[in-house]
Amino acid sequence: MNVTFVAMGSELLGLERMSAFLKERGHEVSLAFDPALFAERVYIENPHLAKVFSTTQETIDEIVSQKPDIVGFSVIADIYQWALYVATEVKKHIDVPVIFGGVMPMSNPEVVLKNDCVDIVCIDDGEHPMAELLESMERGSMRTDIENLCFKENGMIKKNPQRAPIPIETYPMFDKSLFEDVIPINQSYLTIASKGCPYVCSFCSESFKQPIHTGSHNEEGSAYTTNKQTHYEFKSVDDFMEELVLMHKRYNYTLIEFWDNTFTARKDWTLEFCERYKKEVGVPFKILTHPLCMDEDIAQALKNAGCYKVQFGVQTMNEEVRTLIIKRTESNRKVANAFACLDKVELGYSIDHIFGLPGEEDNMKAGLDEALSYYKNTKNLIQINTFWLSIWPKTEMFQIARDRGMIDDAEAERIENALDDNIYFDLGSVQDKEVIKLCENYQIMFKLLPFMPKLLVNFLIKTGLYLHIGWMPRMFTRRLLDVATTLVNHDYKGYQYIRYYLWQMTKVMKSKIRHKLPNFYPARRLAESTTVGLMTNSEDK
């Protein structure tokens, strides 16, 4: 069977894993990719430039031209409306079943299936269900009883049971060939060593996924059982190193991004990996992790192995909000200890901080001042990634916000249908004007902290001037300070992202020129060949 996957804005590991799985079973898999420049709803959003560089229609044309037997989308709330538009337009040209998978359909399959352009929804791991679906289509009759899939049947929605999670070691390597023509993999290699997360933060999709088993930590780092349990496992170090070494030979990548939710969750695994990685691969890499999963041994091992940046999901330094709202147990002392471990070995790190969390409004300034006091006393902090609370369907945070009156019925319906401009870099779901006004000052101050002299930081705090800098344009200032952070800290990822955008812009503009001037390139090639012919004849004479 011929499968076309559709992606917007970035490389998707889930599609690469699915592609590898289906190709092993003899199916043909292709990709239709929309780079969504200046409209990818993550880092850069500019409606005017987005219109100039838009390739959505080209993406639709590419899907239609491939004549697929089925079209698959991996969808989060940010791109849900875009995916619906593309699927609708495709169905105007070809009669093809469309399947949606990913976090958005997983959280709200009934809502997604109400759309005429969506025929099937996948609500968990999709590799085996997709293979079974294609096999039934090959036999001439699409099955509608496949676990993990939801269908429309006789005007009703049929939601089949979920199947047990598939062990991570049974999956094939990611099919990087799926994205290699549209993503510069040689610049930055994206991969993941684990599945799931040992923590269940209320704002995250993990808070509504099917509970399977425990894998978290208490204050001292030992295992404990929480009310919500998650499926969580790592590949073996042998299997993971096999992938990294093979792909390094294939793409000669110069940087790796490990997108595991908590890369250092297993200390024994981390130490073994770091020892082998330094010898067998050795290129700079970046990880994401949790403050409770950092100690001096792990910090030193990461530093020795070539890690250049650790991204901590801190979110808040208000302990009460962290416990009651985010559903996490670490104390500020433990968070500060994680910073100190990296400061000791001089390894750079960044902090994720969320503005507008429920419960902070009662004494918000005091809570943000406490965060400021912790952040300013670090030594190797190179960036504070500031986000605004974004509420996603079916997360525990969604219900918390409903209970506290942050969102009414109308807003809840908009969130469930992904109709909000819910960009977590630009206000997200936060609506209180006083909260926004106060937090904008701290957002800019947090951005300035990593590269501003300590003397100036202390002066701004002592005089209270930091409370009067929020008047600057939010998005422009944030982008400017992010660029400054990249330049000051020589951040590999920042440089790579700038190069990626320039690379994609060049590709898009060349494509548009070819489309607008179809006779230009053949004429040039004819002129070049004529010139070569004349030169050859001249040499013969």
Side-chain angles (χ1 to χ4, degrees), residues 195-259:
K195 181 181 180 183
C197 184
Y199 301 94
V200 192
C201 302
S202 61
F203 56 82
C204 179
S205 61
E206 293 293 335
S207 69
F208 66 74
K209 290 181 179 178
Q210 176 70 25
I212 302 297
H213 64 76
T214 57
S216 199
H217 301 76
N218 65 11
E219 270 292 288
E220 302 305 324
S222 60
Y224 80 105
T225 301
T226 61
N227 292 329
K228 294 243 182 176
Q229 302 173 355
T230 60
H231 180 71
Y232 173 64
E233 58 180 323
F234 269 83
K235 297 177 183 177
S236 70
V237 174
D238 284 342
D239 286 350
F240 198 39
M241 289 306 305
E242 181 184 0
E243 174 199 338
L244 299 181
V245 171
L246 177 64
M247 295 301 179
H248 193 212
K249 291 178 180 177
R250 181 178 301 174
Y251 295 107
N252 194 30
Y253 52 75
T254 57
L255 174 71
I256 296 184
E257 290 185 79
F258 296 119
W259 271 96

Side-chain angles (χ1 to χ4, degrees), residues 205-381:
S205 61
E206 293 293 335
S207 69
F208 66 74
K209 290 181 179 178
Q210 176 70 25
I212 302 297
H213 64 76
T214 57
S216 199
H217 301 76
N218 65 11
E219 270 292 288
E220 302 305 324
S222 60
Y224 80 105
T225 301
T226 61
N227 292 329
K228 294 243 182 176
Q229 302 173 355
T230 60
H231 180 71
Y232 173 64
E233 58 180 323
F234 269 83
K235 297 177 183 177
S236 70
V237 174
D238 284 342
D239 286 350
F240 198 39
M241 289 306 305
E242 181 184 0
E243 174 199 338
L244 299 181
V245 171
L246 177 64
M247 295 301 179
H248 193 212
K249 291 178 180 177
R250 181 178 301 174
Y251 295 107
N252 194 30
Y253 52 75
T254 57
L255 174 71
I256 296 184
E257 290 185 79
F258 296 119
W259 271 96
D260 305 80
N261 292 318
T262 313
F263 188 81
T264 59
R266 283 182 47 192
K267 182 174 180 177
D268 57 341
W269 187 97
T270 305
L271 297 182
E272 181 185 353
F273 166 80
C274 287
E275 184 177 356
R276 290 190 56 181
Y277 180 88
K278 181 181 179 180
K279 299 173 183 176
E280 298 176 41
V281 181
V283 305
F285 66 93
K286 169 194 169 185
I287 68 164
L288 291 78
T289 196
H290 189 288
L292 284 184
C293 298
M294 183 58 62
D295 61 23
E296 291 186 5
D297 294 337
I298 293 174
Q300 189 64 66
L302 290 170
K303 174 75 172 182
N304 293 343
C307 179
Y308 77 92
K309 185 178 181 181
V310 174
Q311 184 174 342
F312 279 124
V314 174
Q315 319 313 352
T316 182
M317 294 302 288
N318 184 319
E319 289 186 327
E320 183 177 359
V321 170
R322 183 188 297 134
T323 302
L324 298 179
I325 303 300
I326 301 183
K327 311 299 183 181
R328 287 171 37 168
T329 62
E330 68 270 23
S331 64
N332 284 351
R333 177 177 60 85
K334 285 290 185 179
V335 175
N337 181 68
F339 300 161
C341 290
L342 296 184
D343 286 336
K344 184 175 181 179
V345 300
E346 298 184 342
L347 175 55
Y349 54 95
S350 65
I351 293 170
D352 293 350
H353 186 101
I354 299 177
F355 293 113
L357 289 166
E360 289 187 333
E361 62 274 7
D362 295 335
N363 200 9
M364 181 167 287
K365 182 179 181 301
L368 291 172
D369 280 340
E370 184 170 18
L372 183 59
S373 68
Y374 275 100
Y375 297 165
K376 77 181 181 66
N377 289 319
T378 57
K379 295 180 181 178
N380 284 277
L381 175 63

